[in-house]
């Protein structure tokens, strides 16, 4: 019998450290992400392997840093008389798989099992024989994260209610505030159905125990007793609109028994993972590969069409927890475009719908509000890339107007929308008058200007394209030739003299010049002009030496803004050194362990780096290029395009895979034709086919052809037009 891909999924990979991944069950892009929360202070996802469990809650973010959001509608089973104060539980026999989690809660010896649907969490608690079965429902449950990083606010219950509807039913609403990105309040509605009748109940709010079947206000709780029922199943619908919708989700999605729902969740994941089949890699590589595919499709949350979006109805599928595009744009959206292009189209149309209703494209979108912009507008990059890859069903003319607005219209609130434009337009760079991350923002603005120009060119707007291509060359206005890196300048044009390219002060989140990285690290982010970067370092050999010093000096780490750097050797004609550095990154920063990722997972960003690098096909954000390196597997088979009518792309190695020591590509063919370069365009693989790689233990001469320069291609196009 063929091994199922879900058997290689280990939800405990990446739950600890700064990884912040979920071990509890969820489905692809589901609203409900059910799982255990441990004793606070919490990490942003609520869990720590070393700490005891205090509850199971229904909403979580996965893989993000900053302040925790959600952790709402908490369940804690207990034995004995009804009460509101419970001690934390130690974990025993903890187990997780795709769509399922279980743990023995000690010392009470309660077996807790969790599974889920898109909008319902399903619990099964097995209590010791002859013990009274109790369940505490915490309507004020929320992740408690403290610290000095931006957005690390502590979640707060601000109101809500709980009502006992019948001996089998309970409903309510949780009103909350806090978390990364913004401080706007939000509400979570819930409906709970039990398979056993309540024998008794007690309700309380922040002021104490209340009489009657309902309670309202902050920090509402219900303590329920089910007698000596033995086994209790609770099905909880979650909605952002109403308790009626929460109830409808239970009726629609969770009418089956616990085991059937668990099996259905496993099958949904198996279907999703079947978009890629890998053969010939190590067991650890395979476990990482399929586990990280489940991370890739964790967020954002699909709210349906005019269904769970509480803010408006528009006939457009809506998503929340775009958390944040600044991370996923690096590679995750490109991988989604390959594996599930309709999902990418739906996300981009959601962004346009948000712009229609708020006036601006968001960079992060959480619970009906834009959230903190960490650089520029990553949506600009995504629309450009989608157009170059010929994704259909997107109004690119509307997208271009919104992208241009980011450059042309002053923002009413640069924390949430648009750009800092005054200096950018008048000085040609962001000066130190922009008090936070002025240089890295400037660099991102320049690339987004190139993306605006490239989309304008694609739409036949040559004059607008020329203007924005020219604007994108502002990038180099903050290049300091003496330091060979990007550096801050004051409004008068003088360089900041006390600047250190190798450090951030006071930390990488609050540095006045660069965000989440140093100048040395950021200075490789010249995505529309890597050729210019090579030239400014003195040519290919000097650039290779610079890259070597960067890696050998320990300046690289697995941050989203640096993930493309190992591939830049290809721009100096050395794909063999790219192969070495990529392998080094995979071995250093990815392990099949609870703290096995090098950084926050960040909405598929770390996952996509591993998946794409392991396949040997890595995307360049905003463009239609993929870089080639030796894969970790003998054979990778991808199903591309629409689910109903996919095409197949096979990446296959001749002889043993690179895991055997054959770490270099010696030759390549694409659909039987010789391929003498370490990159391909999207159109070359989108229709499927076979990429055959001959590998060897020592590098050869293959792949020295440098990828084309985007700006040079435009100049050539203009010359052809003029002729």
């Amino acid at each position: 019998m063929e091994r199922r891909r879900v058997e290689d999924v280990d939800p405990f990979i990446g739950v600890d450290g700064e990884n912040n991944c979920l071990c509890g069950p969820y489905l692809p892009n589901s609203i409900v992400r059910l799982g255990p929360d441990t004793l606070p202070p919490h990490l942003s996802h609520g869990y720590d392997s070393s700490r005891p469990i205090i509850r199971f809650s229904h909403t979580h973010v996965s893989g993000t840093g900053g302040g925790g959001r959600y952790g709402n509608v908490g369940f804690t089973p207990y034995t004995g008389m009804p009460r509101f104060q419970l001690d934390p539980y130690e974990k025993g026999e903890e187990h997780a798989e795709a769509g399922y989690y279980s743990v023995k809660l000690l010392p009470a010896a309660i077996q807790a099992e969790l599974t889920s649907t898109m909008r319902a969490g399903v619990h099964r608690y097995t209590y010791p024989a002859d013990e009274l079965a109790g369940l505490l429902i915490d309507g004020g449950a929320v992740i408690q994260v403290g610290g000095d990083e931006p957005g690390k606010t502590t979640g707060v219950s601000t109101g809500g209610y709980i009502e006992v509807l019948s001996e089998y039913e309970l409903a309510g609403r949780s009103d909350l505030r806090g978390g990364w990105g913004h401080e706007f309040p939000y509400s979570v509605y819930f409906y709970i159905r039990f398979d056993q009748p309540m024998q008794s109940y007690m309700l309380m709010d922040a002021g104490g125990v209340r009489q009657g079947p309902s309670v309202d206000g902050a920090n509402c709780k219900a303590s329920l007793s089910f007698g000596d029922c033995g086994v209790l199943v609770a099905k909880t619908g979650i909605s952002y609109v109403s308790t009626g919708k929460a109830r409808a989700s239970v009726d629609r999605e969770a009418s089956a028994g616990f085991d059937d729902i668990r099996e259905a969740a496993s099958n949904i994941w198996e279907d999703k993972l079947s978009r890629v089949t890998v053969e010939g890699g190590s067991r650890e590589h395979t476990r990482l590969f399929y586990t990280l595919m489940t991370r890739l499709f964790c967020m954002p949350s699909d709210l349906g069409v005019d269904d769970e979006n509480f803010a408006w109805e528009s006939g457009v599928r809506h998503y929340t927890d775009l958390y944040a595009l600044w991370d996923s744009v690096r590679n995750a959206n490109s991988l989604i475009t390959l594996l599930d292009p309709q999902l990418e189209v739906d996300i981009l149309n959601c962004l346009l719908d948000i712009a229609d209703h708020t006036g601006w494209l968001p960079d992060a979108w959480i619970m009906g509000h834009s959230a903190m912009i960490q650089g520029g507008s990553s949506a600009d990059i995504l629309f450009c890339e989608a157009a170059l890859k010929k994704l259909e069903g997107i109004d690119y003319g509307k997208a271009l107007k919104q992208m241009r607005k980011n450059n042309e219209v002053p923002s009413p609130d640069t924390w949430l929308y648009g750009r800092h434009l005054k200096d950018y337009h008048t000085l040609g760079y962001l000066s130190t008058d922009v008090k936070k991350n002025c240089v890295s923002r400037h660099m991102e603005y320049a690339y987004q200007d190139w993306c605006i120009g490239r989309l304008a060119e694609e739409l036949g707007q040559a004059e607008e394209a020329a203007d924005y291509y020219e604007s994108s060359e502002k990038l180099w206005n903050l290049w300091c030739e003496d330091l060979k890196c990007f550096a801050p300048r004051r409004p008068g044009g003088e360089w900041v003299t006390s600047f250190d390219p190798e450090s951030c002060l006071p930390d990488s989140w609050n540095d006045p010049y660069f965000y989440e990285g140093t100048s040395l690290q950021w200075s490789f982010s010249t995505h529309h002009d890597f050729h210019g970067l090579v030239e400014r370092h003195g040519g290919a050999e000097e650039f290779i030496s610079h890259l070597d010093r960067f890696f050998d000096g320990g300046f690289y780490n697995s941050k989203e803004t640096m993930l493309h750097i190992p591939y830049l050797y290809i721009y100096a004609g050395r794909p063999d050194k790219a192969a070495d550095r990529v392998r080094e990154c995979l071995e250093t920063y990815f392990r099949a362990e609870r703290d096995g990722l090098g950084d926050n997972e960040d909405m598929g960003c770390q996952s996509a780096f591993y998946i794409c690098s392991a396949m040997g096909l890595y995307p360049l954000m905003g463009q239609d290029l993929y870089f080639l390196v030796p894969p970790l597997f003998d054979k990778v088979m991808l199903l591309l395009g629409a689910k109903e009518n996919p095409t197949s792309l096979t990446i296959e190695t001749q002889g043993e895979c690179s895991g055997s020591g054959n770490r270099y590509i010696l030759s390549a063919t694409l659909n039987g034709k010789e391929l003498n370069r370490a990159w391909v365009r999207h159109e070359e693989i989108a229709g499927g086919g076979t990429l055959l790689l001959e590998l060897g233990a020592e590098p050869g001469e293959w792949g020295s052809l440098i990828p084309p320069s985007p700006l040079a291609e435009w100049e050539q196009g203009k010359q052809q037009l003029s002729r």
Side-chain angles (χ1 to χ4, degrees):
M1 183 176 176
E2 183 180 350
R3 182 178 175 86
R4 283 163 54 90
R5 296 163 187 83
V6 289
E7 295 178 50
D8 289 307
V9 173
D10 180 359
F12 290 117
I13 293 174
V15 297
D16 287 336
E18 296 182 347
N19 303 172
N20 297 342
C21 297
L22 301 181
C23 58
Y26 57 88
L27 293 184
N29 304 110
S30 59
I31 290 177
V32 167
R33 292 187 282 270
L34 180 60
D37 295 330
T38 53
L39 193 68
H42 292 130
L43 298 170
S44 61
H45 63 317
Y47 180 86
D48 187 325
S49 292
S50 67
R51 299 174 75 82
I53 289 175
I54 59 169
R55 63 174 175 249
F56 305 103
S57 62
H58 291 76
T59 58
H60 292 90
V61 295
S62 179
T64 68
R69 195 176 291 274
Y70 307 138
N72 309 136
V73 192
F75 282 23
T76 309
Y78 64 89
T79 58
M81 298 301 293
R83 59 193 186 277
F84 290 101
Q85 296 298 320
L86 301 174
D87 293 329
Y89 292 114
E90 297 298 330
K91 303 188 244 5
E93 302 173 19
E94 196 176 26
H95 172 78
E97 57 192 58
Y100 176 77
Y101 171 89
S102 68
V103 65
K104 182 68 70 71
L105 300 176
L106 303 175
I110 301 170
Q111 182 71 30
E113 298 175 90
L114 312 176
T115 189
S116 68
T117 69
M118 289 292 288
R119 299 178 183 180
V122 185
H123 308 240
R124 182 165 65 189
Y125 301 116
T126 303
Y127 297 86
D130 301 323
E131 292 274 10
L132 293 178
L135 184 63
L136 178 64
I137 310 294
D138 186 352
V142 59
I143 299 296
Q144 301 287 307
V145 174
D148 297 327
E149 294 177 25
K152 276 207 169 179
T153 54
T154 296
V156 177
S157 170
T158 61
Y161 73 91
I162 294 177
E163 179 181 0
V164 177
L165 303 177
S166 74
E167 60 183 346
Y168 290 95
E169 299 169 293
L170 185 149
R173 188 190 73 240
S174 300
D175 299 330
L176 308 129
R177 186 183 70 248
W180 181 86
H182 68 65
E183 280 287 296
F184 295 105
Y186 64 96
S187 295
V188 177
Y189 296 84
F190 55 93
Y191 167 84
I192 307 168
R193 182 180 297 157
F194 305 105
D195 72 337
Q196 302 288 337
M198 288 178 255
Q199 301 296 309
S200 64
Y201 61 83
M202 295 192 302
L203 305 179
M204 72 172 292
D205 60 20
V209 177
R210 305 299 182 190
Q211 299 297 315
S214 66
V215 65
D216 63 90
N219 296 301
C220 293
K221 293 181 174 67
S223 189
L224 315 176
S225 178
F226 296 87
D228 57 351
C229 66
V231 178
L232 175 68
V233 174
K235 300 174 179 179
T236 305
I238 296 295
S239 173
Y240 299 143
V241 174
S242 69
T243 55
K245 281 189 173 291
R247 179 174 188 154
S249 291
V250 172
D251 292 338
R252 182 180 62 252
E253 300 179 1
S255 60
F258 183 95
D259 292 325
D260 289 337
I261 294 172
R262 172 186 174 182
E263 182 180 5
S266 177
N267 290 337
I268 288 169
W269 274 118
E270 180 66 20
D271 181 65
K272 195 72 173 179
L273 300 180
S274 69
R275 300 293 292 187
V276 188
T277 301
V278 297
E279 298 176 0
S282 71
R283 178 71 191 283
E284 181 177 36
H285 292 155
T286 304
R287 287 175 63 210
L288 277 165
F289 191 92
Y290 285 118
T291 300
L292 294 179
M293 274 192 71
T294 68
R295 311 299 193 202
L296 176 72
F297 292 108
C298 181
M299 296 197 300
S301 299
D302 183 355
L303 303 188
V305 179
D306 295 339
D307 189 2
E308 283 292 338
N309 179 12
F310 60 81
W312 63 76
E313 294 183 356
S314 60
V316 176
R317 183 171 294 277
H318 196 82
Y319 293 85
T320 191
D321 299 335
L322 289 155
Y323 208 111
L325 297 178
W326 188 80
D327 303 290
S328 65
V329 69
R330 313 286 164 178
N331 47 31
N333 290 90
S334 302
L335 182 53
I336 290 170
T337 296
L338 272 181
L339 301 181
D340 192 347
Q342 187 58 53
L343 173 59
E344 184 67 9
V345 169
D346 288 345
I347 290 172
L348 295 184
N349 281 330
C350 172
L351 297 178
L352 289 178
D353 190 44
I354 292 168
D356 283 344
H357 288 84
T358 68
W360 297 86
L361 289 169
D363 199 56
W365 182 255
I366 306 166
M367 275 295 188
H369 294 278
S370 285
M372 172 188 167
I373 292 179
Q374 298 169 89
S377 173
S378 300
D380 297 353
I381 300 171
L382 295 180
F383 282 111
C384 176
E385 181 175 331
L388 295 179
K389 293 180 177 178
K390 311 299 183 188
L391 288 188
E392 298 179 349
I394 298 169
D395 187 338
Y396 290 109
K398 178 189 285 188
L400 183 60
K401 289 179 181 178
Q402 288 293 343
M403 292 158 67
R404 289 183 60 180
K405 183 176 182 178
N406 287 325
N407 175 283
E408 297 171 9
V409 178
S411 168
D413 184 350
T414 52
W415 177 267
L416 300 176
Y417 312 104
R419 303 184 187 178
H420 298 266
L421 290 181
K422 180 174 178 292
D423 283 1
Y424 193 68
H425 285 163
T426 59
L427 302 177
Y429 60 91
L430 291 195
S431 77
T432 53
D433 278 355
V434 176
K435 298 303 181 185
K436 187 175 180 182
N437 319 134
C438 58
V439 183
S440 58
R441 287 181 191 271
H442 169 87
M443 297 175 70
E444 295 198 58
Y445 292 178
Y447 185 44
Q448 287 151 18
D449 280 353
W450 180 87
C451 290
I452 296 170
R454 187 65 185 87
L455 181 56
E457 181 187 353
E458 193 73 8
L459 296 179
Q461 301 179 23
E463 192 170 318
E464 289 80 1
D467 289 343
Y468 274 94
Y469 283 143
E470 181 179 358
S471 183
S472 76
E473 294 178 15
K474 292 177 182 176
L475 169 71
W476 300 108
N477 291 347
L478 289 184
W479 175 261
C480 180
E481 185 63 28
D482 291 344
L483 297 175
K484 295 292 183 185
C485 67
F486 290 89
R489 293 174 69 180
R490 303 191 189 282
E494 64 274 18
W495 299 103
V496 173
T497 55
S498 59
F499 172 67
D500 180 1
E502 296 183 11
S503 68
C504 290
L505 295 173
D507 55 53
S508 63
W509 299 278
N510 296 294
D511 182 82
Y513 312 131
F514 292 88
Y515 184 67
E516 290 197 0
T518 66
S519 171
L520 186 62
Q521 294 162 339
W522 264 96
S523 291
F524 291 101
S525 291
T526 65
H527 287 75
H528 59 298
D529 198 6
F530 290 130
H531 299 76
L533 183 64
V534 173
E535 291 171 6
R536 283 167 175 80
H537 278 284
E541 291 304 317
E542 289 80 2
F543 184 64
I544 291 168
S545 296
H546 178 61
L547 279 169
D548 285 345
R549 287 191 298 271
F550 179 76
F551 282 99
D552 295 339
F555 296 106
Y556 178 90
N557 57 68
S558 195
K559 289 293 297 179
E560 54 274 86
T561 51
M562 287 183 260
L563 295 178
H564 68 288
I565 297 177
Y567 289 94
L568 296 187
Y569 284 100
I570 292 172
Y571 283 88
R574 291 296 302 274
D576 58 310
K577 293 187 77 71
D580 283 336
R581 295 301 187 184
V582 169
R583 179 59 57 83
E584 181 181 300
C585 293
L586 293 177
E587 292 173 349
T588 301
Y589 298 107
F590 295 89
R591 295 169 289 108
E593 298 176 10
R594 287 187 176 229
D595 61 348
L597 309 185
D599 195 62
N600 300 151
E601 197 278 337
D602 278 330
M603 207 167 101
C605 184
Q606 294 288 336
S607 296
F609 178 84
Y610 183 87
I611 293 167
C612 294
S613 298
M615 294 192 302
L617 188 71
Y618 192 81
L620 177 61
M621 70 170 183
Q623 301 181 39
D624 62 345
L625 287 180
Y626 300 86
F627 303 120
L628 303 181
V629 293
L632 294 180
F633 305 99
D634 292 335
K635 192 174 184 179
V636 180
M637 292 162 285
L638 299 91
L639 296 179
L640 309 180
K643 182 178 180 180
E644 300 76 19
N645 187 30
T647 59
S648 178
L649 173 66
T650 299
I651 303 170
E652 192 168 1
T653 61
Q654 287 184 320
E656 295 182 88
C657 71
S658 56
S660 66
N662 292 330
R663 298 174 61 136
Y664 305 103
I665 301 174
L666 302 182
S667 66
T669 60
L670 180 59
N671 298 328
K673 296 182 180 180
E674 183 180 357
L675 184 72
N676 62 356
R677 46 185 161 86
W679 49 273
V680 294
R681 290 198 181 274
H682 182 78
E683 65 180 2
E684 296 179 282
I685 62 172
T690 299
L691 177 62
L692 186 61
L693 306 174
E694 179 192 358
L695 304 184
E698 299 294 333
E701 299 298 321
W702 176 85
S704 61
L705 184 65
I706 294 170
S709 164
L711 293 175
E713 287 182 322
W714 165 248
E715 291 298 329
Q716 293 170 4
K718 284 197 301 183
Q719 292 173 10
Q720 291 174 355
L721 286 172
S722 64
R723 289 198 295 269

